[in-house]
Amino acid sequence: SYRVVRDYCWSLYRGVTIEKFYLLSLDSQLKLIDARLLAEGTLDEVPLYPREVIAVLLRLNAAGAVISHNHPGQTSAPSQADIRLTHRLYRLLDEIGITLHDHVIVGSDGTYSFAQTGKLNPETEN
């Protein structure tokens, strides 16, 4: 459920003051296989390369994924770069048969879920 994922992501960033990017790998039953810190950045930026995400998911034989990062000291609202990255990963993973279930951003005001707001799939975004 959204709440379980949101709460788990929230717990990953407690007390964190730099941007971090996590990949949650899921099996076909949506059970967590692996949670891994993929990248660390600065106060307001973290580099993430789609090939790293794909390599980890393929190595773990994952059926799905949730990506998550934080905005330390800022709102959880996604930037244009966050939106572009999410849509790019959604398309790339879809091409190889892996479902991107959500991208959760944790900010000082709480969490933002691309799935919950209907913004995950670039084809259906309003």
Side-chain angles (χ1 to χ4, degrees):
S1 83
Y2 292 124
R3 204 162 121 216
V4 171
V5 172
R6 187 188 67 218
D7 291 349
Y8 183 78
C9 290
W10 180 262
S11 73
L12 292 173
Y13 303 107
R14 193 171 295 127
V16 172
T17 57
I18 59 169
E19 278 204 25
K20 293 188 174 196
F21 205 108
Y22 279 89
L23 171 63
L24 310 180
S25 303
L26 309 171
D27 69 14
S28 58
Q29 307 301 306
L30 301 181
K31 292 204 174 14
L32 185 65
I33 300 170
D34 182 71
R36 135 176 355 207
L37 177 63
L38 271 194
E40 288 185 301
T42 62
L43 185 61
D44 58 1
E45 184 179 50
V46 62
L48 184 79
Y49 304 102
R51 67 180 291 139
E52 291 177 49
V53 172
I54 292 166
V56 169
L57 293 169
L58 289 175
R59 206 166 37 247
L60 294 170
N61 201 25
V66 172
I67 55 174
S68 175
H69 79 282
N70 62 327
H71 288 168
Q74 300 171 30
T75 73
S76 58
S79 67
Q80 284 305 307
D82 293 337
I83 294 167
R84 280 193 305 275
L85 172 68
T86 303
H87 290 170
R88 187 159 172 236
L89 266 176
Y90 185 94
R91 286 188 189 102
L92 288 168
L93 292 176
D94 187 56
E95 284 290 316
I96 58 171
I98 297 174
T99 303
L100 180 62
H101 292 285
D102 205 351
H103 180 179
V104 177
I105 301 173
V106 175
S108 56
D109 60 346
T111 57
Y112 178 92
S113 161
F114 275 80
Q116 231 175 345
T117 55
K119 306 267 187 211
L120 187 62
N121 182 342
E123 311 309 320
T124 60
E125 187 184 341
N126 335 356

